Amino acid sequence: MKNASNGSRNAQATAERILLAAQKVFHEKGYDGATTREIADRAGINLTLINRYFGSKLGLFEKAVLPHLDLEPLLSGTPSDVAQRLAELYVDTGPKEGFDAFVVLVRSIANPEAGPLLIRRLEDHALRPLIDRLEGPNKEARATLIATQLAGLVLRFRIMPQIPLDGQEREALKQRLEANLREALEG
Amino acid sequence: MKNASNGSRNAQATAERILLAAQKVFHEKGYDGATTREIADRAGINLTLINRYFGSKLGLFEKAVLPHLDLEPLLSGTPSDVAQRLAELYVDTGPKEGFDAFVVLVRSIANPEAGPLLIRRLEDHALRPLIDRLEGPNKEARATLIATQLAGLVLRFRIMPQIPLDGQEREALKQRLEANLREALEG
DNA sequence: GTCTATATAATGATAGAC
DNA sequence: GTCTATCATTATATAGAC
């Protein structure tokens, strides 16, 4: 074999470490708040390797975040299935570390370079799949209703989780949300 | 009278011009993207006066933006009234210049200094008034459903208005949204 | 493939003259 | 009450040695 797959002189492994660290930092701080220095430190690599492998901070953002902005995997099954899955997933009060591309979207949407990329990606891989999945009249209106509801829930539970919601209220919210989603999904 | 109310040597008038310019720039670029230099230029005043009158960029943000983050004025009347008013207001495809504190919220939420201020203000002057306005069971769940739906609509129509929605779909969306809101408001 | 050293360009903020 | 000049910091990005 040519090289140890985890050695410190392996371009592919290094790029992967950068990507993973970038996801976390972009998640926590958004595009503006994330610095290439912190990403490099968290990845345990030298700062210059980011530009070496990804060209620029924006290039890294494109590779690390954009591909994960995708609603399609959550849309399989009957409308009832989808409604239940989404309600369960988006009314979520668990810990919020790690990486969530939709959180990165909200925290980066203000940036003049990252914003347009995010909007285009969202249109192609979230709004469009949702519209195409629906049957019956007013597909765009119904998809918009669903997508905006989910977007608000991301803001509420993944970005401002400071405001608590007790178990009973959470269950009531899930019930009502699921009903609303099912109605919009079915037509 | 002591002084011309619009003269160039009037502290109150100068502070007011700074506030108005700050609202526009924070609206367009968010907290991170807004620079004190641009605010000063747009206000037609010297850069140093911002710190003179508001202490810091964050101090200016507090005075210019936070007081306008308030849902209460939109909550008067019957549930039907409120549902109709909100549906009309938040499914909005008009031009997006000017100043909207909820847009500033989304575009500034990632900042570690502005974010917590925005969340606290939102809790006290949007979520709490909404909860207190409701009657019947599961007030918090219903308020959350409403607030998150509205938040998503802000994102969709005021921050990413690039994605078009034709008149018929817009009307259908308004109908469905109004029905959902009325149901959550009534219990 | 990875590092040190540095260029370049912004930013928020302030001292002190007028 | 307002301005000029400037400081101190921090950011992305790159040239070139190893």
Side-chain angles (χ1 to χ4, degrees):
Chain A
M1 61 186 78
K2 300 170 182 174
N3 216 337
S5 64
N6 238 0
S8 70
R9 282 191 172 258
N10 180 326
Q12 197 162 345
T14 300
E16 189 60 32
R17 299 181 61 170
I18 294 173
L19 284 172
L20 289 175
Q23 290 176 345
K24 291 183 198 147
V25 178
F26 283 133
H27 174 100
E28 292 169 17
K29 317 225 170 154
Y31 186 81
D32 284 328
T35 69
T36 52
R37 275 178 170 78
E38 178 170 2
I39 292 170
D41 285 350
R42 300 257 289 255
I45 56 95
N46 186 276
L47 172 60
T48 62
L49 297 179
I50 289 180
N51 288 315
R52 189 86 161 74
Y53 291 142
F54 299 97
S56 67
K57 181 184 179 181
L58 190 64
L60 174 57
F61 186 81
E62 288 188 45
K63 299 287 189 186
V65 176
L66 287 193
H68 299 91
L69 204 60
D70 193 346
L71 200 61
E72 219 164 1
L74 300 176
L75 300 181
S76 65
T78 69
S80 234
D81 291 340
V82 177
Q84 189 179 359
R85 181 187 306 135
L86 292 176
E88 187 65 42
L89 210 61
Y90 280 80
V91 180
D92 183 5
T93 53
K96 291 293 157 286
E97 73 267 3
F99 169 59
D100 181 326
F102 290 95
V103 169
V104 180
L105 167 82
V106 174
R107 290 193 171 135
S108 308
I109 191 73
N111 182 273
E113 282 127 22
L117 297 178
L118 290 163
I119 292 177
R120 203 165 319 140
R121 175 80 196 185
L122 194 70
E123 186 174 11
D124 293 343
H125 291 81
L127 212 52
R128 190 58 53 188
L130 187 54
I131 292 171
D132 292 343
R133 197 219 170 286
L134 299 179
E135 295 175 3
N138 298 125
K139 293 179 175 60
E140 295 200 6
R142 288 154 55 206
T144 302
L145 196 66
I146 294 166
T148 55
Q149 178 67 80
L150 296 180
L153 289 164
V154 168
L155 236 160
R156 170 66 179 81
F157 289 107
R158 301 182 186 179
I159 294 185
M160 8 181 114
Q162 294 93 332
I163 306 174
L165 191 71
D166 72 41
Q168 190 198 330
E169 296 286 342
R170 208 179 71 234
E171 276 310 309
L173 172 58
K174 248 187 252 184
Q175 296 290 329
R176 285 173 174 272
L177 171 64
E178 189 180 334
N180 283 359
L181 292 175
R182 195 183 317 116
E183 196 201 353
L185 285 162
E186 285 171 346
Chain B
M1 65 187 76
K2 299 170 185 175
N3 214 336
S5 64
N6 238 359
S8 70
R9 281 192 173 256
N10 179 326
Q12 198 163 345
T14 300
E16 189 60 32
R17 300 180 61 169
I18 294 173
L19 284 171
L20 289 175
Q23 289 175 345
K24 290 183 199 149
V25 179
F26 283 133
H27 173 100
E28 291 170 17
K29 318 227 169 150
Y31 187 81
D32 284 328
T35 69
T36 52
R37 277 178 169 77
E38 178 171 2
I39 292 170
D41 284 351
R42 300 256 290 253
I45 56 95
N46 187 277
L47 172 61
T48 62
L49 298 179
I50 289 180
N51 287 315
R52 189 87 162 73
Y53 291 143
F54 299 97
S56 66
K57 182 184 179 182
L58 190 63
L60 174 58
F61 185 80
E62 287 187 48
K63 299 287 189 186
V65 176
L66 287 193
H68 298 91
L69 204 60
D70 193 347
L71 200 61
E72 218 164 1
L74 300 177
L75 300 180
S76 65
T78 69
S80 234
D81 290 339
V82 178
Q84 190 179 1
R85 180 187 306 135
L86 292 177
E88 187 64 41
L89 210 62
Y90 279 80
V91 179
D92 183 5
T93 54
K96 291 294 157 286
E97 73 266 5
F99 169 58
D100 181 326
F102 290 94
V103 169
V104 181
L105 167 82
V106 174
R107 291 194 171 135
S108 308
I109 191 73
N111 182 273
E113 281 127 23
L117 298 178
L118 290 163
I119 292 178
R120 204 165 318 141
R121 175 79 197 185
L122 193 70
E123 187 174 10
D124 293 343
H125 290 82
L127 212 52
R128 190 59 53 187
L130 189 52
I131 293 171
D132 292 344
R133 196 219 171 286
L134 300 179
E135 295 175 1
N138 299 125
K139 292 180 175 61
E140 295 201 5
R142 288 154 54 206
T144 302
L145 196 67
I146 294 166
T148 55
Q149 178 67 80
L150 296 180
L153 288 164
V154 168
L155 235 160
R156 170 66 179 82
F157 288 107
R158 301 181 187 178
I159 294 185
M160 7 181 116
Q162 295 92 331
I163 306 173
L165 190 72
D166 72 42
Q168 190 198 329
E169 295 287 342
R170 209 179 72 235
E171 277 309 310
L173 172 58
K174 248 188 253 185
Q175 296 290 330
R176 284 174 173 272
L177 171 64
E178 188 179 334
N180 283 0
L181 292 175
R182 196 184 316 117
E183 197 200 353
L185 285 162
E186 285 171 347

